[in-house]
Amino acid sequence: MNERVGAVGIASFRKATLVYAGALALIATLSMITNVMVDAIVQRQEATARIVNISGRQRMLSQRIAMMALELAQARTAEMRQAIGSDLAVAIDLMDASHAALSQGSKEQGLSSDKSADVRAIYAEAPHQLNGQVTSYLDHARLLIAQPAEERQASAHLNDLLASAHGPILQGLDAAVKQHEIESETSIRSLRRILLTLVGMMLATLAAEAIFIFRPLFRKLEAAHVKLLDAARTDPLTGCMNRRYLMEAAAREVARAKRSGSILSVMMLDIDHFKKINDTYGHGVGDEALLSLVGTVLGNIRASDMLGRIGGEEFAVLLPDTAEDQAGQVALKLRESVEALEIKSSAGHVFKMTTSIGLAQLHLGEEDFLAALERADKALYKAKQSGRNRVVFYTPELEGAAGKGF
């Protein structure tokens, strides 16, 4: 029976452990996914910031190229034309490289080559056709630089640059920036919804874990703690107090009796010829005899009285607030009840048993319970010598009697 209960307990513990491990794994997985989603949101925001920054620089470069083209056409000296032309070439190359990064992606600048259909349409299709506009705009700027100085003021390239700088190319660049911002905000909102869902799932998992795992686990631990305490306090066979806990309880009763000046009686008893019962009917029947004795004792004492197994077939009973004559009445009634018992063996044999009882009292002011227990043991020994199945009170004349000692 105990093995079956133990096996069930182990299986239950393993199941609880697996459920707990599964819940932890789910939380860990959700945590990792949440971290990935947070990282994705941060990366998306950083990418948007880079796109907006580079697009803003494109607008600035487009205006700067137009301004420097006009300055180049109006420059009066060769030195001025050389310096302005050099700066203009640098601005052209920078705008060209930035446009390539925005439209095609760039690992160096952290820009993805994957573009939505709307973004691709802005760069390749009407009305903006930003790829064509930027290419044409930069070609006009390069051709202006290549023209002779005297032709630049009336150059069609200069006129086209100035016209585009204040209209179509700005509109195209603005459209690209706005589309990038719209898509980024949409993506971030979607990622945040997923993130909130994951956080909700994590909180729900934690709540479920607290309700369905930790709470039952705590109850099981509490029940196990109670069982351990009970096992530490009780005799495993009879269920009454074991020797250790009886001594602890007796120490508390002795201290209380000393404070209140009350009387404490002690009873020692055992089954007469217990070894013969074991030898004749077997230890299983002997255990039944012990259980019958304990049940009879508990049926004849008060709830405030304390029964404990000292060892073997020997038991002790503490009787708080009980004078000698009252203790004697309890002992006599108990002896008669035991004598009236009938116990059946597994083979169907019926036998009877008797008990011998020794009584003693705690002396006024005495703090050592063992001394009172030894006196009760000497009275029990005298009951055995006197023929068994009787109650004997301790008297000073029994002081020389041999007891087992404690």
Side-chain angles (χ1 to χ4, degrees):
M1 178 67 178
N2 289 336
E3 292 179 357
R4 186 172 64 184
V5 172
V8 172
I10 292 173
S12 177
F13 176 76
R14 287 176 177 172
K15 182 179 179 181
T17 302
L18 288 174
V19 173
Y20 177 64
L24 286 182
L26 178 59
I27 291 173
T29 302
L30 291 174
S31 298
M32 288 188 290
I33 296 175
T34 300
N35 184 64
V36 171
M37 299 309 300
V38 170
D39 187 59
I41 291 173
V42 172
Q43 289 183 7
R44 185 66 180 177
Q45 289 177 330
E46 289 176 349
T48 301
R50 286 192 292 269
I51 291 172
V52 171
N53 180 54
I54 295 173
S55 297
R57 186 174 62 188
Q58 287 291 78
R59 292 186 52 173
M60 177 194 70
L61 286 170
S62 69
Q63 302 307 301
R64 185 179 179 188
I65 287 170
M67 180 185 67
M68 287 192 296
L70 183 60
E71 290 177 351
L72 179 63
Q74 295 175 349
R76 296 181 178 277
T77 64
E79 291 79 5
M80 291 178 64
R81 288 192 290 272
Q82 179 67 30
I84 295 171
S86 178
D87 291 341
L88 179 57
V90 171
I92 291 169
D93 290 341
L94 183 56
M95 185 173 178
D96 193 14
S98 297
H99 177 73
L102 286 171
S103 60
Q104 302 172 19
S106 170
K107 291 183 178 180
E108 293 77 11
Q109 299 188 53
L111 299 178
S112 174
S113 59
D114 295 330
K115 306 296 180 184
S116 70
D118 292 333
V119 171
R120 289 197 300 269
I122 291 173
Y123 279 92
E125 300 174 9
H128 301 294
Q129 293 182 320
L130 195 54
N131 285 332
Q133 286 198 61
V134 171
T135 300
S136 175
Y137 189 77
L138 297 179
D139 286 345
H140 284 304
R142 290 190 181 100
L143 290 171
L144 180 68
I145 295 174
Q147 278 187 316
E150 63 274 9
E151 297 178 7
R152 288 171 179 160
Q153 284 191 0
S155 173
H157 299 303
L158 177 61
N159 293 332
D160 288 339
L161 276 173
L162 296 177
S164 181
H166 294 89
I169 197 166
L170 277 181
Q171 294 172 5
L173 291 171
D174 284 342
V177 171
K178 287 179 181 179
Q179 185 61 36
H180 280 300
E181 288 178 340
I182 290 171
E183 292 181 1
S184 177
E185 289 175 0
T186 302
S187 176
I188 289 172
R189 280 197 299 270
S190 177
L191 290 172
R192 282 176 176 167
R193 282 195 296 269
I194 296 173
L195 180 61
L196 289 174
T197 302
L198 290 171
V199 171
M201 291 174 61
M202 192 183 304
L203 292 175
T205 302
L206 288 171
E209 192 174 39
I211 294 171
F212 299 109
I213 298 178
F214 286 116
R215 190 176 177 184
L217 185 61
F218 176 77
R219 288 177 176 173
K220 288 180 181 179
L221 289 174
E222 188 177 27
H225 178 66
V226 171
K227 288 181 179 179
L228 285 174
L229 285 179
D230 187 60
R233 293 174 175 178
T234 60
D235 175 61
L237 173 62
T238 62
C240 66
M241 292 181 180
N242 59 22
R243 176 189 173 92
R244 178 179 178 180
Y245 189 56
L246 178 67
M247 294 302 175
E248 292 176 359
R252 292 191 292 270
E253 284 299 323
V254 169
R256 189 185 67 82
K258 182 181 178 182
R259 289 193 305 270
S260 63
S262 59
I263 301 171
L264 176 65
S265 292
V266 182
M267 182 189 302
M268 280 284 294
L269 67 153
D270 70 1
I271 298 175
D272 295 328
H273 302 296
F274 182 69
K275 184 177 183 302
K276 185 178 179 181
I277 294 174
N278 277 333
D279 293 342
T280 303
Y281 302 105
H283 290 282
V285 176
D287 290 345
E288 289 295 327
L290 291 174
L291 289 169
S292 297
L293 176 65
V294 168
T296 304
V297 173
L298 293 175
N300 284 276
I301 62 176
R302 302 165 300 183
S304 58
D305 299 332
M306 302 173 197
L307 169 65
R309 187 180 182 186
I310 300 300
E313 74 276 20
E314 291 187 331
F315 295 83
V317 182
L318 274 67
L319 303 167
D321 303 313
T322 305
E324 187 177 84
D325 57 341
Q326 295 172 315
Q329 292 174 11
V330 173
L332 288 172
K333 184 179 178 182
L334 175 59
R335 185 194 65 78
E336 293 171 355
S337 298
V338 172
E339 189 177 15
L341 287 174
E342 289 186 351
I343 302 174
K344 292 182 179 180
S345 69
S346 58
H349 299 296
V350 178
F351 70 92
K352 305 188 78 172
M353 66 181 183
T354 59
T355 182
S356 298
I357 302 174
L359 284 171
Q361 283 191 315
L362 186 73
H363 293 162
L364 187 63
E366 190 175 29
E367 298 183 6
D368 187 5
F369 171 72
L370 283 177
L373 194 62
E374 287 178 358
R375 291 194 293 272
D377 183 52
K378 289 176 180 179
L380 173 61
Y381 184 75
K382 180 63 176 177
K384 296 288 188 182
Q385 285 184 324
S386 303
R388 294 182 173 82
N389 192 23
R390 63 192 62 217
V391 176
V392 173
F393 290 89
Y394 172 82
T395 61
E397 289 76 16
L398 297 179
E399 196 56 40
K404 288 190 178 179
F406 295 92

